[in-house]
Amino acid sequence: MAKEQISIFDMFKIGIGPSSSHTLGPWRAAQRFVETLEKRDLLNHIKEVKILLYGSLAKTGVGHGTDIAVLLGLSGDDPVTFDVSDVVPKVERIKANKKMSIGGKKDIDFSYQDDLLFLYDQSLPFHPNAVTFQAFLDNETAVSETYYSIGGGFVVQENDTESVLSEIDLPFPIDTAQELMVSCMRTGLKISELVLENECSWRPEQETKEGVLKIFQTIKECIYKGCHTEGVLPGGLHVERRASKLNKRMLKGRSYSDFDSWVEAIRAGGKDFGYILDCVSCFALAVNEENASFGRVVTAPTNGAAGVIPAVLQYYIVFHDCYKEDKIIQFIATASEIGSIFKKGATISAAMGGCQAEIGVSSAMAAGALTECLGGSQRQVLMAAEIAMEHHLGLTCDPIGGLVQIPCIERNTMGAIKAITAAQLALQSNPDKAKVSLDAVVSTMWDTAQDMNVKYKETADGGLAIKVPLSLPEC
């Protein structure tokens, strides 16, 4: 059986918030459906389209922007390039005009109320995040496809592994932390070096490095914008943005017109423990406030947990004076390998595993990456990842109002701080004496996910989600 092959660019995808599983995934599914219609030369024969959202996509779909994502995806828009300022306005135009252009080419009548169905009480067995697209044609036949958004922007159909498998031979086919360790010991390569060797099977090394730096550029822009944008987050919870105020306090009201001078100013603030904590929290808040506002973010490995890795990477850049391309590539490459081990051995979908699968995994990724960049051994890297996840086990996903805001945004700050702590512990420890392996904690996380009640798996049916009275329809 072929091994699952996951690239850096599978774990880190550029997209639009607020959710990789509920926004980016359904958006990609809609694009795939349009591609299917185009390949079969059916686009011009469409009379009507219906969209059926099941399970978690139905229950928290409005709060997570699933409705927006599928409409833009069917309209031929791409989340990497689409103007984020036009996300909500374009969907409002579709609603008001009751018209949609499929693939940007075929205009049809479309009713948001009648043609987009939220099946709150129905769930498909393959995965909780399911969406079915139905196209009714002018010859009275129909085409129907069902897609599953399995976390981190990955989309599959049942018995279809197209998005995560490649027909190539990797020099280091790895499914587990133990296999990773064996390959590192046999070759003497760092984890990041081994990852880049595998990436060369898909594309030239320079192309990979340029792609990683493009990912970092998006992260930079997201952090900077989030730290300099005030206001209230959309969705009805009236959550006020905090990153910009925290940033102003950190810099004593001074402003800087570009990222580089801003980084220098933060670095000049010193290394007081409280100041560092404020900075890390600010970085994480900034990303996830952007995410909650339909901003452009990078899955890391998901949108809901998109602030952890950027916050820890920014901490490394600022407080370890490592604003260097090679160190940034090293950080992101190492993080991607840790994330892929969790995806292969458990899940990165909150709808499958609760928030441990998102914040927990992102914290483990960040901890491992920081450890390697600070000079830790391969065993210390894996130890750091294990420590970070061990202290997220059982974390539930209970978004208030079905929105990726409370408790999601603050959880990114906690995941980032835990990652830094885990890295420090690992660097000061002998990993040969560790009692719990990374593979053991991955397995435990998956067992915990399977035991977890469904109401704690991104359904907004339990936990904090039912403790705050709201009038939102998905609650």
Side-chain angles (χ1 to χ4, degrees):
M1 182 178 177
K3 288 180 180 286
E4 191 173 17
Q5 297 178 346
I6 299 176
S7 165
I8 293 173
F9 304 111
D10 293 319
M11 300 309 298
F12 293 93
K13 302 183 183 79
I14 298 172
I16 291 175
S19 171
S20 52
S21 59
H22 287 58
T23 316
L24 181 57
W27 194 322
R28 291 301 188 197
Q31 289 179 298
R32 281 182 61 175
F33 184 61
V34 171
E35 290 170 4
T36 296
L37 296 173
E38 287 183 314
K39 288 177 182 176
R40 296 173 62 178
D41 199 24
L42 298 175
L43 210 58
N44 291 323
H45 298 282
I46 298 173
K47 293 195 305 181
E48 181 183 5
V49 166
K50 287 191 179 294
I51 309 158
L52 285 65
L53 300 175
Y54 297 90
S56 180
L57 290 188
K59 291 183 176 182
T60 63
V62 172
H64 284 61
T66 307
D67 52 341
I68 290 172
V70 292
L71 297 185
L72 293 178
L74 289 176
S75 299
D77 300 310
D78 190 272
V80 176
T81 58
F82 188 69
D83 181 1
V84 295
S85 67
D86 197 35
V87 169
V88 174
K90 179 162 185 176
V91 171
E92 290 303 317
R93 292 195 296 272
I94 292 172
K95 290 180 181 180
N97 298 331
K98 295 190 175 182
K99 296 282 186 181
M100 184 193 300
S101 180
I102 304 298
K105 300 175 182 177
K106 171 65 175 178
D107 294 336
I108 63 168
D109 293 330
F110 182 85
S111 167
Y112 180 91
Q113 287 74 24
D114 300 330
D115 297 328
L116 178 55
L117 307 178
F118 294 84
L119 306 176
Y120 300 108
D121 299 323
Q122 297 184 38
S123 185
L124 301 185
F126 183 75
H127 193 281
N129 292 338
V131 54
T132 296
F133 298 99
Q134 298 173 336
F136 299 89
L137 310 178
D138 53 18
N139 63 0
E140 306 305 321
T141 63
V143 176
S144 178
E145 298 281 353
T146 298
Y147 301 89
Y148 300 89
S149 179
I150 61 174
F154 289 88
V155 176
V156 298
Q157 292 178 274
E158 201 161 354
N159 302 317
D160 161 36
T161 53
E162 175 184 335
S163 66
V164 293
L165 290 180
S166 304
E167 297 298 326
I168 61 172
D169 292 324
L170 295 178
F172 303 105
I174 291 163
D175 280 354
T176 67
Q178 179 61 29
E179 291 176 356
L180 174 60
M181 195 75 256
V182 169
S183 292
C184 287
M185 292 300 99
R186 178 168 56 84
T187 62
L189 293 174
K190 297 177 181 178
I191 292 173
S192 60
E193 292 170 338
L194 183 145
V195 170
L196 293 174
E197 287 291 325
N198 274 345
E199 295 294 324
C200 287
S201 299
W202 285 298
R203 70 195 76 80
E205 182 177 2
Q206 185 58 32
E207 187 177 329
T208 295
K209 290 182 177 180
E210 289 172 357
V212 172
L213 293 176
K214 182 179 179 182
I215 292 290
F216 176 62
Q217 180 64 28
T218 303
I219 289 173
K220 275 174 44 177
E221 292 170 357
C222 185
I223 293 175
Y224 185 80
K225 184 179 179 184
C227 283
H228 294 83
T229 303
E230 299 179 350
V232 175
L233 300 177
L237 286 181
H238 308 293
V239 174
E240 187 175 355
R241 285 178 177 254
R242 287 181 284 175
S244 61
K245 292 184 177 180
L246 186 52
N247 179 58
K248 284 182 180 178
R249 285 199 296 271
M250 284 163 20
L251 298 179
K252 296 179 172 55
R254 298 187 302 274
S255 60
Y256 298 87
S257 59
D258 63 90
F259 182 86
D260 291 359
S261 58
W262 176 64
V263 165
E264 287 301 322
I266 295 172
R267 184 178 291 135
K271 293 189 177 182
D272 175 78
F273 183 64
Y275 177 72
I276 292 175
L277 285 178
D278 284 345
C279 289
V280 173
S281 295
C282 183
F283 303 150
L285 289 172
V287 171
N288 285 86
E289 287 171 356
E290 280 298 294
N291 181 61
S293 304
F294 298 101
R296 181 156 285 115
V297 298
V298 174
T299 63
T302 66
N303 282 27
V308 176
I309 289 171
V312 177
L313 176 55
Q314 186 76 343
Y315 157 81
Y316 174 63
I317 288 171
V318 173
F319 295 105
H320 291 273
D321 197 17
C322 282
Y323 192 8
K324 302 169 185 174
E325 289 186 353
D326 60 330
K327 302 303 289 186
I328 291 163
I329 292 168
Q330 180 184 7
F331 190 103
I332 291 175
T334 306
S336 74
E337 187 62 30
I338 301 297
S340 73
I341 288 171
F342 277 98
K343 187 183 184 305
K344 293 167 186 175
T347 181
I348 58 171
S349 167
M352 287 291 285
C355 199
Q356 61 174 354
E358 296 203 21
I359 294 293
V361 172
S362 64
S363 186
M365 293 168 68
L370 181 61
T371 302
E372 179 174 301
C373 287
L374 292 178
S377 68
Q378 297 96 327
R379 290 187 185 278
Q380 286 175 319
V381 169
L382 299 185
M383 184 182 188
E386 183 281 320
I387 292 171
M389 172 52 78
E390 184 178 328
H391 301 289
H392 282 94
L393 287 173
L395 187 61
T396 59
C397 183
D398 48 357
I400 293 175
L403 297 160
V404 190
Q405 296 182 18
I406 305 172
C408 319
I409 294 174
E410 283 185 355
R411 280 186 180 167
N412 280 264
T413 71
M414 303 306 293
I417 297 299
K418 284 185 180 181
I420 295 169
T421 302
Q424 288 299 121
L425 280 171
L427 287 166
Q428 301 302 322
S429 301
N430 181 354
D432 294 335
K433 296 184 178 181
K435 302 298 183 183
V436 182
S437 69
L438 180 56
D439 285 331
V441 87
V442 170
S443 177
T444 302
M445 190 199 108
W446 180 234
D447 290 342
T448 306
Q450 292 175 300
D451 290 340
M452 189 180 289
N453 191 298
V454 68
K455 69 184 181 181
Y456 298 119
K457 295 181 179 181
E458 210 168 1
T459 59
D461 286 336
L464 287 173
I466 63 172
K467 296 299 182 181
V468 178
L470 294 170
S471 59
L472 294 178
E474 64 267 29
C475 296

Short mmCIF file of all heavy atoms in Angstrom, two decimals, residues 270-279 417 421:
data_model
loop_
_atom_site.label_atom_id
_atom_site.label_comp_id
_atom_site.label_asym_id
_atom_site.label_seq_id
_atom_site.Cartn_x
_atom_site.Cartn_y
_atom_site.Cartn_z
N GLY A 270 13.67 45.16 24.45
CA GLY A 270 14.32 44.36 25.48
C GLY A 270 13.80 42.94 25.56
O GLY A 270 13.05 42.48 24.68
N LYS A 271 14.20 42.25 26.62
CA LYS A 271 13.84 40.84 26.78
C LYS A 271 13.23 40.54 28.14
O LYS A 271 13.37 39.44 28.67
CB LYS A 271 15.08 39.95 26.53
CG LYS A 271 15.57 39.99 25.09
CD LYS A 271 16.65 38.96 24.83
CE LYS A 271 17.09 38.97 23.36
NZ LYS A 271 18.11 37.93 23.07
N ASP A 272 12.55 41.53 28.69
CA ASP A 272 11.81 41.29 29.92
C ASP A 272 10.78 40.19 29.67
O ASP A 272 10.13 40.15 28.61
CB ASP A 272 11.11 42.57 30.35
CG ASP A 272 10.21 42.37 31.55
OD1 ASP A 272 10.75 42.30 32.68
OD2 ASP A 272 8.98 42.27 31.36
N PHE A 273 10.60 39.29 30.64
CA PHE A 273 9.73 38.13 30.45
C PHE A 273 8.31 38.55 30.11
O PHE A 273 7.69 38.02 29.18
CB PHE A 273 9.73 37.25 31.70
CG PHE A 273 8.92 35.99 31.57
CD1 PHE A 273 9.26 35.01 30.65
CD2 PHE A 273 7.80 35.78 32.37
CE1 PHE A 273 8.51 33.85 30.53
CE2 PHE A 273 7.04 34.63 32.25
CZ PHE A 273 7.40 33.66 31.34
N GLY A 274 7.77 39.52 30.85
CA GLY A 274 6.42 39.99 30.58
C GLY A 274 6.29 40.61 29.20
O GLY A 274 5.28 40.42 28.51
N TYR A 275 7.31 41.33 28.78
CA TYR A 275 7.31 41.96 27.46
C TYR A 275 7.29 40.90 26.36
O TYR A 275 6.53 41.00 25.38
CB TYR A 275 8.54 42.85 27.32
CG TYR A 275 8.71 43.51 25.97
CD1 TYR A 275 7.87 44.54 25.56
CD2 TYR A 275 9.72 43.10 25.09
CE1 TYR A 275 8.03 45.15 24.33
CE2 TYR A 275 9.90 43.71 23.87
CZ TYR A 275 9.05 44.73 23.47
OH TYR A 275 9.21 45.32 22.25
N ILE A 276 8.09 39.85 26.52
CA ILE A 276 8.11 38.77 25.54
C ILE A 276 6.75 38.08 25.47
O ILE A 276 6.24 37.79 24.38
CB ILE A 276 9.23 37.75 25.86
CG1 ILE A 276 10.60 38.39 25.63
CG2 ILE A 276 9.09 36.50 25.00
CD1 ILE A 276 11.77 37.51 26.03
N LEU A 277 6.15 37.83 26.63
CA LEU A 277 4.83 37.21 26.65
C LEU A 277 3.82 38.08 25.90
O LEU A 277 3.00 37.57 25.11
CB LEU A 277 4.36 36.99 28.08
CG LEU A 277 4.98 35.85 28.88
CD1 LEU A 277 4.42 35.84 30.29
CD2 LEU A 277 4.72 34.51 28.20
N ASP A 278 3.87 39.39 26.13
CA ASP A 278 2.96 40.30 25.44
C ASP A 278 3.18 40.25 23.93
O ASP A 278 2.22 40.24 23.14
CB ASP A 278 3.16 41.73 25.93
CG ASP A 278 2.54 41.99 27.29
OD1 ASP A 278 1.72 41.16 27.74
OD2 ASP A 278 2.89 43.01 27.92
N CYS A 279 4.43 40.21 23.52
CA CYS A 279 4.75 40.18 22.09
C CYS A 279 4.23 38.91 21.43
O CYS A 279 3.59 38.94 20.37
CB CYS A 279 6.26 40.30 21.88
SG CYS A 279 6.93 41.94 22.25
N ILE A 417 2.70 29.93 23.51
CA ILE A 417 3.49 29.95 24.75
C ILE A 417 3.88 28.53 25.16
O ILE A 417 5.02 28.28 25.59
CB ILE A 417 2.70 30.64 25.87
CG1 ILE A 417 2.42 32.11 25.51
CG2 ILE A 417 3.43 30.53 27.20
CD1 ILE A 417 3.67 32.94 25.30
N THR A 421 7.68 26.99 25.66
CA THR A 421 8.03 26.29 26.90
C THR A 421 8.49 24.87 26.61
O THR A 421 9.48 24.39 27.19
CB THR A 421 6.81 26.25 27.85
OG1 THR A 421 6.38 27.59 28.12
CG2 THR A 421 7.16 25.57 29.16
#
